Amino acid sequence: MSVVLFSSSYGHKNISSPLLFYLLSFRQCTMASLSLSLGLLVLCTLALVHCDLDDSHVRVWGLSASNLKGDFLSQPDPYVKVWYGPAFGGMSSILKNQANPTWPDEFNFLDMIHNSVLKLEVWDDIVGLDLHMGTCKIPISPGTHSEICQLKRGTIFYTYSYGYVYSY
């Protein structure tokens, strides 16, 4: 058995039954694959938009440091970068000529991945390549905690809270 697939001024194009069956099956598999891919994309997007139902969050504030040592030429111009798990929360303000700075900045994160690590990096703002003064990494725990972390070039102090957001 053959089926006319299309016709043109040059004649008809005939396709045998096994070939037609293969082409139709291939089309159905391709459509099913596309539907599955789109379905997975929608599920992944929903998971990112609403990762958790409990509205918990992480807040980092009260950042200060002592005895920061920059390059040999001047007092350091320090700033802090903050991460919670894979999420970059931002960078603090740069405080000029401060070996013992107190930053006014606050960082807030949604708790998308429970029990992630909080990471703070302290840097000296130098023309060209900034100087890395040290990194702190701690696994967080529920509640409010004040932390002290010894760096390669000084000490950093900060407070974090890990808990729930209540809205009334």
Side-chain angles (χ1 to χ4, degrees):
M1 172 182 178
S2 64
V3 176
V4 176
L5 186 60
F6 64 89
S7 63
S8 67
S9 59
Y10 300 107
H12 298 292
K13 184 70 173 177
N14 293 329
I15 296 182
S16 65
S17 290
L19 182 57
L20 179 63
F21 177 76
Y22 172 77
L23 289 174
L24 290 175
S25 296
F26 179 75
R27 182 174 180 268
Q28 288 173 342
C29 287
T30 303
M31 294 301 289
S33 170
L34 180 61
S35 295
L36 180 60
S37 297
L38 288 173
L40 288 173
L41 179 63
V42 167
L43 285 175
C44 289
T45 303
L46 288 174
L48 287 175
V49 169
H50 194 67
C51 293
D52 204 350
L53 298 174
D54 64 12
D55 293 330
S56 59
H57 78 288
V58 176
R59 177 180 168 232
V60 181
W61 78 98
L63 289 98
S64 65
S66 65
N67 301 319
L68 293 180
K69 295 164 188 64
D71 61 12
F72 298 108
L73 302 175
S74 64
Q75 291 282 334
D77 301 329
Y79 64 92
V80 181
K81 294 180 180 179
V82 182
W83 284 264
Y84 174 62
F88 178 59
M91 183 178 103
S92 72
S93 51
I94 298 170
L95 301 178
K96 299 290 183 184
N97 298 316
Q98 295 286 322
N100 300 298
T102 298
W103 290 276
D105 307 277
E106 181 177 302
F107 302 90
N108 291 284
F109 302 90
L110 290 177
D111 183 29
M112 294 174 56
I113 302 171
H114 287 301
N115 301 320
S116 284
V117 172
L118 182 63
K119 179 172 89 170
L120 287 80
E121 290 183 352
V122 181
W123 293 83
D124 183 7
D125 184 41
I126 300 174
V127 176
L129 188 62
D130 290 354
L131 175 66
H132 183 237
M133 301 175 85
T135 299
C136 292
K137 291 182 182 179
I138 61 159
I140 64 163
S141 57
T144 299
H145 306 274
S146 293
E147 300 288 336
I148 301 171
C149 180
Q150 190 64 44
L151 305 169
K152 293 185 301 185
R153 298 173 164 259
T155 306
I156 187 169
F157 308 87
Y158 61 95
T159 302
Y160 80 88
S161 63
Y162 172 48
Y164 299 99
V165 176
Y166 297 104
S167 56
Y168 296 96

